[in-house]
PDB file of all heavy atoms in Angstrom:
ATOM      1  N   ILE A   1     -15.650   6.140   0.366  1.00 94.00           N
ATOM      2  CA  ILE A   1     -14.450   6.598   1.085  1.00 94.00           C
ATOM      3  C   ILE A   1     -14.465   5.908   2.442  1.00 94.00           C
ATOM      4  O   ILE A   1     -15.412   6.031   3.214  1.00 94.00           O
ATOM      5  CB  ILE A   1     -14.452   8.132   1.294  1.00 94.00           C
ATOM      6  CG1 ILE A   1     -14.479   8.867  -0.040  1.00 94.00           C
ATOM      7  CG2 ILE A   1     -13.277   8.555   2.172  1.00 94.00           C
ATOM      8  CD1 ILE A   1     -13.197   8.783  -0.830  1.00 94.00           C
ATOM      9  N   HIS A   2     -13.401   5.151   2.725  1.00 95.00           N
ATOM     10  CA  HIS A   2     -13.286   4.423   3.990  1.00 95.00           C
ATOM     11  C   HIS A   2     -12.010   4.887   4.675  1.00 95.00           C
ATOM     12  O   HIS A   2     -10.937   4.892   4.058  1.00 95.00           O
ATOM     13  CB  HIS A   2     -13.226   2.919   3.759  1.00 95.00           C
ATOM     14  CG  HIS A   2     -14.321   2.412   2.874  1.00 95.00           C
ATOM     15  ND1 HIS A   2     -15.601   2.191   3.330  1.00 95.00           N
ATOM     16  CD2 HIS A   2     -14.331   2.116   1.552  1.00 95.00           C
ATOM     17  CE1 HIS A   2     -16.343   1.752   2.329  1.00 95.00           C
ATOM     18  NE2 HIS A   2     -15.598   1.700   1.240  1.00 95.00           N
ATOM     19  N   ILE A   3     -12.116   5.265   5.937  1.00 96.00           N
ATOM     20  CA  ILE A   3     -10.945   5.693   6.702  1.00 96.00           C
ATOM     21  C   ILE A   3     -10.833   4.818   7.942  1.00 96.00           C
ATOM     22  O   ILE A   3     -11.814   4.601   8.655  1.00 96.00           O
ATOM     23  CB  ILE A   3     -11.039   7.185   7.087  1.00 96.00           C
ATOM     24  CG1 ILE A   3     -11.054   8.038   5.817  1.00 96.00           C
ATOM     25  CG2 ILE A   3      -9.870   7.582   7.989  1.00 96.00           C
ATOM     26  CD1 ILE A   3     -11.134   9.525   6.047  1.00 96.00           C
ATOM     27  N   PHE A   4      -9.614   4.324   8.174  1.00 96.00           N
ATOM     28  CA  PHE A   4      -9.339   3.441   9.308  1.00 96.00           C
ATOM     29  C   PHE A   4      -8.103   3.940  10.043  1.00 96.00           C
ATOM     30  O   PHE A   4      -7.323   4.722   9.506  1.00 96.00           O
ATOM     31  CB  PHE A   4      -9.062   2.011   8.820  1.00 96.00           C
ATOM     32  CG  PHE A   4     -10.144   1.450   7.953  1.00 96.00           C
ATOM     33  CD1 PHE A   4     -10.000   1.418   6.576  1.00 96.00           C
ATOM     34  CD2 PHE A   4     -11.311   0.957   8.508  1.00 96.00           C
ATOM     35  CE1 PHE A   4     -10.989   0.898   5.760  1.00 96.00           C
ATOM     36  CE2 PHE A   4     -12.311   0.428   7.703  1.00 96.00           C
ATOM     37  CZ  PHE A   4     -12.145   0.403   6.333  1.00 96.00           C
ATOM     38  N   ARG A   5      -7.914   3.411  11.236  1.00 97.00           N
ATOM     39  CA  ARG A   5      -6.699   3.688  12.012  1.00 97.00           C
ATOM     40  C   ARG A   5      -6.128   2.350  12.462  1.00 97.00           C
ATOM     41  O   ARG A   5      -6.862   1.452  12.860  1.00 97.00           O
ATOM     42  CB  ARG A   5      -7.032   4.557  13.222  1.00 97.00           C
ATOM     43  CG  ARG A   5      -7.687   5.859  12.784  1.00 97.00           C
ATOM     44  CD  ARG A   5      -7.985   6.756  13.941  1.00 97.00           C
ATOM     45  NE  ARG A   5      -6.749   7.479  14.191  1.00 97.00           N
ATOM     46  CZ  ARG A   5      -6.347   7.854  15.388  1.00 97.00           C
ATOM     47  NH1 ARG A   5      -7.066   7.594  16.443  1.00 97.00           N
ATOM     48  NH2 ARG A   5      -5.217   8.504  15.527  1.00 97.00           N
ATOM     49  N   CYS A   6      -4.809   2.243  12.406  1.00 97.00           N
ATOM     50  CA  CYS A   6      -4.151   1.003  12.813  1.00 97.00           C
ATOM     51  C   CYS A   6      -2.688   1.300  13.114  1.00 97.00           C
ATOM     52  O   CYS A   6      -2.204   2.411  12.903  1.00 97.00           O
ATOM     53  CB  CYS A   6      -4.277  -0.061  11.725  1.00 97.00           C
ATOM     54  SG  CYS A   6      -3.496   0.385  10.157  1.00 97.00           S
ATOM     55  N   ARG A   7      -1.985   0.280  13.578  1.00 95.00           N
ATOM     56  CA  ARG A   7      -0.538   0.395  13.799  1.00 95.00           C
ATOM     57  C   ARG A   7       0.246  -0.352  12.716  1.00 95.00           C
ATOM     58  O   ARG A   7       1.404  -0.087  12.486  1.00 95.00           O
ATOM     59  CB  ARG A   7      -0.175  -0.147  15.177  1.00 95.00           C
ATOM     60  CG  ARG A   7      -0.763   0.651  16.318  1.00 95.00           C
ATOM     61  CD  ARG A   7      -0.232   0.156  17.660  1.00 95.00           C
ATOM     62  NE  ARG A   7      -0.959   0.563  18.824  1.00 95.00           N
ATOM     63  CZ  ARG A   7      -1.116   1.781  19.278  1.00 95.00           C
ATOM     64  NH1 ARG A   7      -0.625   2.774  18.620  1.00 95.00           N
ATOM     65  NH2 ARG A   7      -1.788   2.029  20.377  1.00 95.00           N
ATOM     66  N   HIS A   8      -0.422  -1.324  12.070  1.00 96.00           N
ATOM     67  CA  HIS A   8       0.206  -2.117  11.009  1.00 96.00           C
ATOM     68  C   HIS A   8      -0.863  -2.472   9.982  1.00 96.00           C
ATOM     69  O   HIS A   8      -1.987  -2.811  10.359  1.00 96.00           O
ATOM     70  CB  HIS A   8       0.826  -3.395  11.580  1.00 96.00           C
ATOM     71  CG  HIS A   8       1.400  -4.285  10.523  1.00 96.00           C
ATOM     72  ND1 HIS A   8       2.691  -4.137  10.066  1.00 96.00           N
ATOM     73  CD2 HIS A   8       0.862  -5.308   9.818  1.00 96.00           C
ATOM     74  CE1 HIS A   8       2.903  -5.050   9.123  1.00 96.00           C
ATOM     75  NE2 HIS A   8       1.810  -5.766   8.955  1.00 96.00           N
ATOM     76  N   ILE A   9      -0.492  -2.425   8.700  1.00 96.00           N
ATOM     77  CA  ILE A   9      -1.430  -2.791   7.648  1.00 96.00           C
ATOM     78  C   ILE A   9      -0.708  -3.609   6.581  1.00 96.00           C
ATOM     79  O   ILE A   9       0.440  -3.311   6.233  1.00 96.00           O
ATOM     80  CB  ILE A   9      -2.116  -1.564   7.013  1.00 96.00           C
ATOM     81  CG1 ILE A   9      -3.176  -1.998   5.985  1.00 96.00           C
ATOM     82  CG2 ILE A   9      -1.108  -0.602   6.427  1.00 96.00           C
ATOM     83  CD1 ILE A   9      -4.080  -0.876   5.520  1.00 96.00           C
ATOM     84  N   ASP A  10      -1.386  -4.661   6.113  1.00 97.00           N
ATOM     85  CA  ASP A  10      -0.935  -5.445   4.972  1.00 97.00           C
ATOM     86  C   ASP A  10      -1.934  -5.209   3.849  1.00 97.00           C
ATOM     87  O   ASP A  10      -3.147  -5.354   4.063  1.00 97.00           O
ATOM     88  CB  ASP A  10      -0.887  -6.940   5.310  1.00 97.00           C
ATOM     89  CG  ASP A  10       0.147  -7.246   6.377  1.00 97.00           C
ATOM     90  OD1 ASP A  10       1.312  -6.863   6.198  1.00 97.00           O
ATOM     91  OD2 ASP A  10      -0.238  -7.868   7.393  1.00 97.00           O
ATOM     92  N   ILE A  11      -1.435  -4.856   2.674  1.00 96.00           N
ATOM     93  CA  ILE A  11      -2.278  -4.578   1.518  1.00 96.00           C
ATOM     94  C   ILE A  11      -1.928  -5.569   0.422  1.00 96.00           C
ATOM     95  O   ILE A  11      -0.751  -5.753   0.111  1.00 96.00           O
ATOM     96  CB  ILE A  11      -2.064  -3.135   1.014  1.00 96.00           C
ATOM     97  CG1 ILE A  11      -2.359  -2.139   2.129  1.00 96.00           C
ATOM     98  CG2 ILE A  11      -2.917  -2.867  -0.228  1.00 96.00           C
ATOM     99  CD1 ILE A  11      -1.910  -0.723   1.823  1.00 96.00           C
ATOM    100  N   HIS A  12      -2.939  -6.204  -0.154  1.00 96.00           N
ATOM    101  CA  HIS A  12      -2.751  -7.154  -1.247  1.00 96.00           C
ATOM    102  C   HIS A  12      -3.648  -6.730  -2.405  1.00 96.00           C
ATOM    103  O   HIS A  12      -4.837  -6.500  -2.219  1.00 96.00           O
ATOM    104  CB  HIS A  12      -3.100  -8.579  -0.811  1.00 96.00           C
ATOM    105  CG  HIS A  12      -2.326  -9.026   0.377  1.00 96.00           C
ATOM    106  ND1 HIS A  12      -1.061  -9.544   0.282  1.00 96.00           N
ATOM    107  CD2 HIS A  12      -2.622  -9.006   1.693  1.00 96.00           C
ATOM    108  CE1 HIS A  12      -0.612  -9.835   1.489  1.00 96.00           C
ATOM    109  NE2 HIS A  12      -1.543  -9.510   2.360  1.00 96.00           N
ATOM    110  N   SER A  13      -3.075  -6.651  -3.598  1.00 95.00           N
ATOM    111  CA  SER A  13      -3.803  -6.225  -4.794  1.00 95.00           C
ATOM    112  C   SER A  13      -3.810  -7.354  -5.813  1.00 95.00           C
ATOM    113  O   SER A  13      -2.847  -8.110  -5.919  1.00 95.00           O
ATOM    114  CB  SER A  13      -3.123  -4.989  -5.390  1.00 95.00           C
ATOM    115  OG  SER A  13      -3.655  -4.683  -6.645  1.00 95.00           O
ATOM    116  N   GLU A  14      -4.896  -7.452  -6.589  1.00 94.00           N
ATOM    117  CA  GLU A  14      -4.949  -8.485  -7.637  1.00 94.00           C
ATOM    118  C   GLU A  14      -4.016  -8.157  -8.798  1.00 94.00           C
ATOM    119  O   GLU A  14      -3.654  -9.028  -9.565  1.00 94.00           O
ATOM    120  CB  GLU A  14      -6.381  -8.657  -8.143  1.00 94.00           C
ATOM    121  CG  GLU A  14      -6.876  -7.506  -8.985  1.00 94.00           C
ATOM    122  CD  GLU A  14      -8.253  -7.731  -9.564  1.00 94.00           C
ATOM    123  OE1 GLU A  14      -8.930  -8.705  -9.195  1.00 94.00           O
ATOM    124  OE2 GLU A  14      -8.655  -6.916 -10.401  1.00 94.00           O
ATOM    125  N   ALA A  15      -3.635  -6.908  -8.938  1.00 90.00           N
ATOM    126  CA  ALA A  15      -2.748  -6.483 -10.028  1.00 90.00           C
ATOM    127  C   ALA A  15      -1.573  -5.713  -9.445  1.00 90.00           C
ATOM    128  O   ALA A  15      -1.689  -5.105  -8.382  1.00 90.00           O
ATOM    129  CB  ALA A  15      -3.509  -5.598 -11.011  1.00 90.00           C
ATOM    130  N   SER A  16      -0.451  -5.743 -10.137  1.00 87.00           N
ATOM    131  CA  SER A  16       0.690  -4.921  -9.732  1.00 87.00           C
ATOM    132  C   SER A  16       0.363  -3.457  -9.999  1.00 87.00           C
ATOM    133  O   SER A  16      -0.079  -3.104 -11.086  1.00 87.00           O
ATOM    134  CB  SER A  16       1.942  -5.325 -10.515  1.00 87.00           C
ATOM    135  OG  SER A  16       2.345  -6.620 -10.151  1.00 87.00           O
ATOM    136  N   LEU A  17       0.578  -2.643  -8.981  1.00 84.00           N
ATOM    137  CA  LEU A  17       0.253  -1.224  -9.072  1.00 84.00           C
ATOM    138  C   LEU A  17       1.442  -0.388  -8.629  1.00 84.00           C
ATOM    139  O   LEU A  17       2.281  -0.857  -7.855  1.00 84.00           O
ATOM    140  CB  LEU A  17      -0.946  -0.909  -8.180  1.00 84.00           C
ATOM    141  CG  LEU A  17      -2.242  -1.615  -8.533  1.00 84.00           C
ATOM    142  CD1 LEU A  17      -3.278  -1.389  -7.432  1.00 84.00           C
ATOM    143  CD2 LEU A  17      -2.763  -1.125  -9.866  1.00 84.00           C
ATOM    144  N   PRO A  18       1.518   0.864  -9.087  1.00 80.00           N
ATOM    145  CA  PRO A  18       2.621   1.722  -8.641  1.00 80.00           C
ATOM    146  C   PRO A  18       2.469   2.052  -7.160  1.00 80.00           C
ATOM    147  O   PRO A  18       1.370   2.341  -6.682  1.00 80.00           O
ATOM    148  CB  PRO A  18       2.479   2.976  -9.506  1.00 80.00           C
ATOM    149  CG  PRO A  18       1.086   2.959 -10.031  1.00 80.00           C
ATOM    150  CD  PRO A  18       0.632   1.533 -10.038  1.00 80.00           C
ATOM    151  N   VAL A  19       3.571   1.970  -6.441  1.00 81.00           N
ATOM    152  CA  VAL A  19       3.587   2.277  -5.012  1.00 81.00           C
ATOM    153  C   VAL A  19       4.467   3.499  -4.816  1.00 81.00           C
ATOM    154  O   VAL A  19       5.583   3.568  -5.336  1.00 81.00           O
ATOM    155  CB  VAL A  19       4.126   1.078  -4.194  1.00 81.00           C
ATOM    156  CG1 VAL A  19       4.306   1.452  -2.738  1.00 81.00           C
ATOM    157  CG2 VAL A  19       3.192  -0.116  -4.334  1.00 81.00           C
ATOM    158  N   HIS A  20       3.949   4.457  -4.057  1.00 77.00           N
ATOM    159  CA  HIS A  20       4.707   5.655  -3.711  1.00 77.00           C
ATOM    160  C   HIS A  20       5.023   5.577  -2.230  1.00 77.00           C
ATOM    161  O   HIS A  20       4.139   5.361  -1.418  1.00 77.00           O
ATOM    162  CB  HIS A  20       3.886   6.918  -3.998  1.00 77.00           C
ATOM    163  CG  HIS A  20       3.623   7.112  -5.445  1.00 77.00           C
ATOM    164  ND1 HIS A  20       4.207   8.110  -6.166  1.00 77.00           N
ATOM    165  CD2 HIS A  20       2.851   6.429  -6.315  1.00 77.00           C
ATOM    166  CE1 HIS A  20       3.799   8.040  -7.419  1.00 77.00           C
ATOM    167  NE2 HIS A  20       2.970   7.017  -7.531  1.00 77.00           N
ATOM    168  N   LYS A  21       6.299   5.738  -1.908  1.00 74.00           N
ATOM    169  CA  LYS A  21       6.730   5.705  -0.512  1.00 74.00           C
ATOM    170  C   LYS A  21       7.260   7.081  -0.163  1.00 74.00           C
ATOM    171  O   LYS A  21       8.227   7.546  -0.749  1.00 74.00           O
ATOM    172  CB  LYS A  21       7.807   4.639  -0.314  1.00 74.00           C
ATOM    173  CG  LYS A  21       7.299   3.248  -0.607  1.00 74.00           C
ATOM    174  CD  LYS A  21       8.394   2.219  -0.517  1.00 74.00           C
ATOM    175  CE  LYS A  21       7.852   0.857  -0.902  1.00 74.00           C
ATOM    176  NZ  LYS A  21       8.890  -0.160  -0.946  1.00 74.00           N
ATOM    177  N   ASP A  22       6.571   7.722   0.756  1.00 69.00           N
ATOM    178  CA  ASP A  22       6.910   9.077   1.170  1.00 69.00           C
ATOM    179  C   ASP A  22       6.957  10.020  -0.031  1.00 69.00           C
ATOM    180  O   ASP A  22       7.830  10.863  -0.159  1.00 69.00           O
ATOM    181  CB  ASP A  22       8.232   9.092   1.941  1.00 69.00           C
ATOM    182  CG  ASP A  22       8.417  10.383   2.728  1.00 69.00           C
ATOM    183  OD1 ASP A  22       7.416  11.061   3.010  1.00 69.00           O
ATOM    184  OD2 ASP A  22       9.561  10.720   3.043  1.00 69.00           O
ATOM    185  N   GLY A  23       5.997   9.826  -0.942  1.00 66.00           N
ATOM    186  CA  GLY A  23       5.873  10.708  -2.095  1.00 66.00           C
ATOM    187  C   GLY A  23       6.770  10.374  -3.269  1.00 66.00           C
ATOM    188  O   GLY A  23       6.675  10.994  -4.324  1.00 66.00           O
ATOM    189  N   GLU A  24       7.639   9.398  -3.107  1.00 71.00           N
ATOM    190  CA  GLU A  24       8.557   9.018  -4.182  1.00 71.00           C
ATOM    191  C   GLU A  24       8.053   7.753  -4.852  1.00 71.00           C
ATOM    192  O   GLU A  24       7.736   6.775  -4.184  1.00 71.00           O
ATOM    193  CB  GLU A  24       9.967   8.779  -3.635  1.00 71.00           C
ATOM    194  CG  GLU A  24      10.596  10.002  -2.984  1.00 71.00           C
ATOM    195  CD  GLU A  24      10.799  11.137  -3.967  1.00 71.00           C
ATOM    196  OE1 GLU A  24      11.157  10.873  -5.135  1.00 71.00           O
ATOM    197  OE2 GLU A  24      10.572  12.296  -3.573  1.00 71.00           O
ATOM    198  N   ALA A  25       7.959   7.786  -6.182  1.00 72.00           N
ATOM    199  CA  ALA A  25       7.529   6.607  -6.928  1.00 72.00           C
ATOM    200  C   ALA A  25       8.564   5.502  -6.769  1.00 72.00           C
ATOM    201  O   ALA A  25       9.756   5.741  -6.885  1.00 72.00           O
ATOM    202  CB  ALA A  25       7.330   6.955  -8.396  1.00 72.00           C
ATOM    203  N   ARG A  26       8.097   4.328  -6.494  1.00 71.00           N
ATOM    204  CA  ARG A  26       8.978   3.160  -6.345  1.00 71.00           C
ATOM    205  C   ARG A  26       8.600   2.123  -7.390  1.00 71.00           C
ATOM    206  O   ARG A  26       8.350   2.438  -8.516  1.00 71.00           O
ATOM    207  CB  ARG A  26       8.867   2.590  -4.924  1.00 71.00           C
ATOM    208  CG  ARG A  26       9.314   3.548  -3.857  1.00 71.00           C
ATOM    209  CD  ARG A  26      10.795   3.788  -3.929  1.00 71.00           C
ATOM    210  NE  ARG A  26      11.162   4.709  -2.848  1.00 71.00           N
ATOM    211  CZ  ARG A  26      12.219   5.464  -2.879  1.00 71.00           C
ATOM    212  NH1 ARG A  26      13.026   5.424  -3.887  1.00 71.00           N
ATOM    213  NH2 ARG A  26      12.483   6.270  -1.884  1.00 71.00           N
ATOM    214  N   ASN A  27       8.466   0.903  -6.980  1.00 79.00           N
ATOM    215  CA  ASN A  27       8.212  -0.214  -7.881  1.00 79.00           C
ATOM    216  C   ASN A  27       6.727  -0.460  -8.088  1.00 79.00           C
ATOM    217  O   ASN A  27       5.878   0.088  -7.407  1.00 79.00           O
ATOM    218  CB  ASN A  27       8.835  -1.488  -7.297  1.00 79.00           C
ATOM    219  CG  ASN A  27      10.321  -1.343  -7.081  1.00 79.00           C
ATOM    220  OD1 ASN A  27      10.993  -0.643  -7.811  1.00 79.00           O
ATOM    221  ND2 ASN A  27      10.828  -2.014  -6.058  1.00 79.00           N
ATOM    222  N   MET A  28       6.454  -1.351  -9.037  1.00 85.00           N
ATOM    223  CA  MET A  28       5.114  -1.913  -9.202  1.00 85.00           C
ATOM    224  C   MET A  28       5.040  -3.097  -8.236  1.00 85.00           C
ATOM    225  O   MET A  28       5.910  -3.962  -8.254  1.00 85.00           O
ATOM    226  CB  MET A  28       4.909  -2.381 -10.636  1.00 85.00           C
ATOM    227  CG  MET A  28       5.055  -1.296 -11.679  1.00 85.00           C
ATOM    228  SD  MET A  28       3.706  -0.131 -11.656  1.00 85.00           S
ATOM    229  CE  MET A  28       2.424  -1.081 -12.440  1.00 85.00           C
ATOM    230  N   GLU A  29       4.033  -3.101  -7.378  1.00 90.00           N
ATOM    231  CA  GLU A  29       3.935  -4.149  -6.365  1.00 90.00           C
ATOM    232  C   GLU A  29       2.497  -4.633  -6.224  1.00 90.00           C
ATOM    233  O   GLU A  29       1.559  -3.898  -6.495  1.00 90.00           O
ATOM    234  CB  GLU A  29       4.440  -3.621  -5.016  1.00 90.00           C
ATOM    235  CG  GLU A  29       5.902  -3.218  -5.055  1.00 90.00           C
ATOM    236  CD  GLU A  29       6.420  -2.730  -3.716  1.00 90.00           C
ATOM    237  OE1 GLU A  29       5.884  -3.146  -2.669  1.00 90.00           O
ATOM    238  OE2 GLU A  29       7.365  -1.929  -3.716  1.00 90.00           O
ATOM    239  N   ARG A  30       2.369  -5.887  -5.771  1.00 92.00           N
ATOM    240  CA  ARG A  30       1.046  -6.458  -5.469  1.00 92.00           C
ATOM    241  C   ARG A  30       0.824  -6.553  -3.965  1.00 92.00           C
ATOM    242  O   ARG A  30      -0.308  -6.633  -3.512  1.00 92.00           O
ATOM    243  CB  ARG A  30       0.913  -7.844  -6.085  1.00 92.00           C
ATOM    244  CG  ARG A  30       0.856  -7.796  -7.605  1.00 92.00           C
ATOM    245  CD  ARG A  30       0.682  -9.146  -8.188  1.00 92.00           C
ATOM    246  NE  ARG A  30      -0.655  -9.630  -7.798  1.00 92.00           N
ATOM    247  CZ  ARG A  30      -1.106 -10.818  -8.087  1.00 92.00           C
ATOM    248  NH1 ARG A  30      -0.370 -11.664  -8.757  1.00 92.00           N
ATOM    249  NH2 ARG A  30      -2.311 -11.181  -7.723  1.00 92.00           N
ATOM    250  N   GLU A  31       1.907  -6.594  -3.204  1.00 93.00           N
ATOM    251  CA  GLU A  31       1.806  -6.692  -1.747  1.00 93.00           C
ATOM    252  C   GLU A  31       2.645  -5.595  -1.127  1.00 93.00           C
ATOM    253  O   GLU A  31       3.738  -5.280  -1.599  1.00 93.00           O
ATOM    254  CB  GLU A  31       2.281  -8.053  -1.268  1.00 93.00           C
ATOM    255  CG  GLU A  31       1.416  -9.180  -1.779  1.00 93.00           C
ATOM    256  CD  GLU A  31       1.799 -10.527  -1.189  1.00 93.00           C
ATOM    257  OE1 GLU A  31       2.664 -10.571  -0.289  1.00 93.00           O
ATOM    258  OE2 GLU A  31       1.223 -11.525  -1.624  1.00 93.00           O
ATOM    259  N   PHE A  32       2.099  -5.045  -0.041  1.00 90.00           N
ATOM    260  CA  PHE A  32       2.762  -3.907   0.585  1.00 90.00           C
ATOM    261  C   PHE A  32       2.359  -3.866   2.051  1.00 90.00           C
ATOM    262  O   PHE A  32       1.195  -4.106   2.389  1.00 90.00           O
ATOM    263  CB  PHE A  32       2.296  -2.628  -0.127  1.00 90.00           C
ATOM    264  CG  PHE A  32       3.033  -1.396   0.271  1.00 90.00           C
ATOM    265  CD1 PHE A  32       4.340  -1.204  -0.114  1.00 90.00           C
ATOM    266  CD2 PHE A  32       2.406  -0.413   1.014  1.00 90.00           C
ATOM    267  CE1 PHE A  32       5.018  -0.055   0.243  1.00 90.00           C
ATOM    268  CE2 PHE A  32       3.076   0.733   1.377  1.00 90.00           C
ATOM    269  CZ  PHE A  32       4.384   0.916   0.992  1.00 90.00           C
ATOM    270  N   SER A  33       3.299  -3.611   2.936  1.00 93.00           N
ATOM    271  CA  SER A  33       3.011  -3.512   4.373  1.00 93.00           C
ATOM    272  C   SER A  33       3.586  -2.218   4.921  1.00 93.00           C
ATOM    273  O   SER A  33       4.639  -1.759   4.468  1.00 93.00           O
ATOM    274  CB  SER A  33       3.636  -4.688   5.131  1.00 93.00           C
ATOM    275  OG  SER A  33       3.061  -5.905   4.723  1.00 93.00           O
TER     276      SER A  33
END
């Protein structure tokens, strides 16, 4: 378990994964900021 604090984050995944924005399921994405 890793916890960090920041003002901006870029996330890159090797596979497309489900992304939830404010608790609502959205698209399958590999990159997310």
Side-chain angles (χ1 to χ4, degrees):
I1 299 289
H2 309 280
I3 297 180
F4 306 101
R5 302 182 84 214
C6 62
R7 295 187 196 296
H8 176 87
I9 184 169
D10 295 306
I11 302 168
H12 304 277
S13 170
E14 72 176 9
S16 293
L17 298 171
V19 173
H20 294 250
K21 297 175 183 175
D22 197 21
E24 299 297 322
R26 297 292 181 204
N27 302 328
M28 300 289 284
E29 298 182 27
R30 291 182 67 184
E31 296 186 6
F32 188 71
S33 296

